[in-house]
Amino acid sequence: MESLENTENSKDTEGVEDTVSEQKEESSDPAASVSSDEETADKAQSGEAEPVSKTTPHPDDGEETGAEEVALKVSVLSAAEALPEDSAEQNDEAAGNSQESEENPPKKKKWKRILIAAVSIPLAIIIAFVSTFFVMREIGRRNIHTDKKFEVTLPTESSGIMLGDKYGRIINYNGVSYIYNNDIIALTFIGVDDGHGPDKGLKMADAIYVLAIDSKNGKVKLLNISRDIITDVNVYSQEGAFIDTEKIQIAYSNAYSEKGSTGGHNTNRSVSRLMFGLPMENYFEINLDAVSTLNDAVGGVRVTSALTFTSPEDGRTINEGDDVTLHGKEAEYYVRRRDTKELESNNDRMQRQQEYIMSFLGSIVPEVKKNPKVISELYSAIRENSETTLSASELIYIASSAVENIHSLSDIEIIKFDGEIVAGINAEMYVSDDEVLSKMLDIFYEPLNTSATEAPESTETDNSSAAAAQAAASQTTTATAAE
């Protein structure tokens, strides 16, 4: 009898093992199946296995024993306990267990990862842009602040003027010694027109402004140079061959250029000559057609109209004294319009231009402070109508240096020459050497001493002052070279 019972128990055990073996082959997780097989076999051998019962088969499934159902449940439970939560979730997804996915919502960790990614990507882009901006700005700063080549030649007929050194970095004027300010960033802005009447087709320098930014103390000055000022201008043939230097209106300087150069370069050279050879290395020239583009880029510029005119945009009449926002061609007309029959017409136009520029800056400066990228966007908008000696990094440095030091429009000082205007072939403005020198010293130099108010009375005093000034210039040049 014991032999028979052992034989039957052995058969029962073999049946359970066969069932477990089949479930092992069907399980999607081998590790979980092995664990369930061993547990089920142990129970069967010890007599703890649950009794086998019949289940109602599904028409498409075929017959399924109770032992198979038990083994399947044990296998699933063992797998869930044996694996970590993340692995269990992955296996549920791999097995297509939609019921588990619906019952268990996504974990907070996943949402945290998504949120971190959503914030990190744009933040990385912003950091990259800001880093690029400041890198380019630093490159521009190093390129702009270089030791300038000085060849200043002062007029000899003025007794109160003398050079403190042979290069013109030091100038003694009316008993005060001035030294060139190496912290100054200078840029000549040139607005070009196509000319009118007998000059039609010539690219004339109709608007000339010299921007001077003291990068140390933040002062911003704008020197307005009249197109009618008479100064030395290089004249070239149509082929670009040098003909001569003539004293003519500075406006004509842009109509001439040597081979391989530009009218803007010639105008910048004439600006330098007007100020006794003061180094003027960089310029930015735009065709006045680009004014409407810049105007509309800031949503229009509001002015108190200084003249009565008919709008080229919609035909309405804009009266003198009207507060109006200029749009499109209205802005271009406003800064270009003048009656050439009037001797003072360019001075009147310069006044309008100054007011327009101040209003434009009032609109653009706050935008640039919020988003420095506006600088490059404006440049891109007028690039086809402009020409410059500046690289992108230098342009960013100059523009950002100006903007960061302008807190209100009162921080910008506009300076102009008050010369005498006479009627020639065209209106001609003559400016005295003393006026040019005083304006130049105010903008580009700083006093070394302020105690003396009169010119030195003796040659000995002159030589002493010159020696002290030259020593200061030597120290400045050495420091600049070291930097």
Side-chain angles (χ1 to χ4, degrees):
M1 290 294 292
E2 288 180 6
S3 177
L4 180 59
E5 288 176 359
N6 290 338
T7 303
E8 289 176 353
N9 289 338
S10 176
K11 288 181 180 180
D12 290 343
T13 303
E14 289 175 0
V16 173
E17 288 177 348
D18 291 340
T19 302
V20 172
S21 178
E22 291 174 0
Q23 294 303 322
K24 178 180 176 181
E25 293 176 357
E26 294 176 0
S27 174
S28 60
D29 190 334
S33 298
V34 169
S35 175
S36 299
D37 290 347
E38 292 174 353
E39 183 177 349
T40 306
D42 291 340
K43 287 182 179 182
Q45 289 175 354
S46 62
E48 295 177 0
E50 294 179 10
V52 178
S53 62
K54 294 282 183 179
T55 59
T56 305
H58 191 279
D60 297 329
D61 291 341
E63 293 187 356
E64 191 175 54
T65 64
E68 290 173 332
E69 183 178 2
V70 170
L72 179 60
K73 288 181 179 180
V74 171
S75 177
V76 170
L77 290 173
S78 299
E81 292 175 359
L83 294 175
E85 287 185 58
D86 289 344
S87 300
E89 287 176 7
Q90 293 172 2
N91 289 334
D92 286 346
E93 291 173 1
N97 192 340
S98 59
Q99 183 177 355
E100 285 292 320
S101 298
E102 290 175 0
E103 291 177 359
N104 297 317
K107 293 194 175 295
K108 291 182 179 179
K109 290 183 179 179
K110 291 184 177 179
W111 286 108
K112 285 182 180 178
R113 293 191 194 104
I114 294 171
L115 183 60
I116 291 171
V119 173
S120 299
I121 292 173
L123 185 61
I125 294 173
I126 292 171
I127 292 173
F129 170 75
V130 172
S131 299
T132 302
F133 174 83
F134 283 106
V135 167
M136 291 185 70
R137 189 180 188 279
E138 176 60 18
I139 292 172
R141 185 193 71 80
R142 291 177 179 274
N143 290 343
I144 291 293
H145 289 289
T146 55
D147 194 18
K148 298 176 177 64
K149 182 180 180 181
F150 264 72
E151 295 180 358
V152 172
T153 304
L154 296 178
T156 57
E157 63 271 15
S158 188
S159 59
I161 306 173
M162 66 175 294
L163 289 175
D165 69 331
K166 63 180 180 179
Y167 302 110
R169 287 184 175 276
I170 302 290
I171 296 175
N172 298 321
Y173 180 59
N174 289 336
V176 179
S177 294
Y178 296 86
I179 185 169
Y180 182 80
N181 184 355
N182 282 307
D183 294 312
I184 289 289
I185 306 166
L187 176 64
T188 305
F189 282 98
I190 307 166
V192 178
D193 195 1
D194 290 334
H196 303 278
D199 297 327
K200 188 170 180 61
L202 296 178
K203 291 190 175 299
M204 309 284 281
D206 256 21
I208 305 172
Y209 292 84
V210 177
L211 174 68
I213 308 165
D214 190 325
S215 60
K216 187 174 182 178
N217 62 26
K219 291 182 179 179
V220 179
K221 296 182 179 181
L222 199 61
L223 174 64
N224 192 181
I225 299 175
S226 171
R227 72 181 300 283
D228 295 334
I229 283 182
I230 303 299
T231 191
D232 291 325
V233 174
N234 277 13
V235 178
Y236 299 89
S237 68
Q238 290 185 348
E239 292 75 27
F242 177 73
I243 298 175
D244 200 358
T245 298
E246 297 183 12
K247 281 192 175 294
I248 55 177
Q249 285 177 313
I250 196 171
Y252 281 96
S253 60
N254 212 85
Y256 299 105
S257 61
E258 61 185 315
K259 189 175 181 180
S261 188
T262 65
H265 177 75
N266 201 32
T267 298
N268 205 39
R269 175 165 43 204
S270 292
V271 170
S272 173
R273 283 176 174 166
L274 176 66
M275 292 186 285
F276 314 113
L278 188 76
M280 300 298 297
E281 299 174 338
N282 295 298
Y283 68 88
F284 191 99
E285 176 182 302
I286 66 168
N287 192 301
L288 289 177
D289 292 337
V291 170
S292 57
T293 303
L294 291 172
N295 181 88
D296 292 350
V298 297
V301 175
R302 191 166 187 80
V303 298
T304 299
S305 182
L307 72 161
T308 298
F309 67 101
T310 301
S311 168
E313 285 289 312
D314 55 20
R316 78 187 190 281
T317 298
I318 297 175
N319 295 304
E320 182 178 352
D322 286 351
D323 287 329
V324 60
T325 299
L326 302 174
H327 294 286
K329 291 292 183 180
E330 292 173 349
E332 180 185 335
Y333 183 91
Y334 191 76
V335 300
R336 295 175 84 165
R337 171 75 174 86
R338 75 178 179 125
D339 185 356
T340 55
K341 296 176 183 178
E342 298 275 344
L343 195 62
E344 297 275 350
S345 64
N346 187 60
N347 279 357
D348 294 339
R349 180 172 66 176
M350 285 168 55
Q351 184 63 36
R352 290 201 311 274
Q353 289 174 351
Q354 291 170 17
E355 292 169 356
Y356 177 87
I357 289 171
M358 294 297 280
S359 184
F360 176 82
L361 290 175
S363 298
I364 196 63
V365 167
E367 295 301 316
V368 175
K369 283 182 179 291
K370 289 188 292 186
N371 179 16
K373 190 178 178 183
V374 170
I375 297 170
S376 56
E377 289 174 349
L378 286 177
Y379 176 54
S380 296
I382 63 170
R383 192 165 194 163
E384 293 182 357
N385 286 313
S386 67
E387 162 198 320
T388 183
T389 55
L390 297 170
S391 66
S393 59
E394 291 167 342
L395 182 63
I396 287 174
Y397 172 64
I398 291 176
S400 60
S401 295
V403 167
E404 71 186 11
N405 292 310
I406 298 174
H407 304 291
S408 68
L409 296 182
S410 61
D411 292 332
I412 305 172
E413 182 182 357
I414 296 182
I415 301 169
K416 64 184 182 68
F417 295 118
D418 298 315
E420 180 186 5
I421 302 176
V422 300
I425 299 176
N426 298 298
E428 298 176 354
M429 177 183 279
Y430 293 89
V431 184
S432 70
D433 290 339
D434 280 332
E435 182 178 3
V436 173
L437 184 61
S438 64
K439 296 286 197 303
M440 184 181 86
L441 292 174
D442 177 52
I443 297 170
F444 296 97
Y445 286 70
E446 53 188 358
L448 278 171
N449 63 306
T450 55
S451 58
T453 56
E454 297 179 358
E457 295 181 358
S458 67
T459 305
E460 182 179 353
T461 305
D462 286 350
N463 291 338
S464 175
S465 176
Q470 189 167 357
S474 176
Q475 292 176 359
T476 303
T477 304
T478 303
T480 304
E483 183 182 9

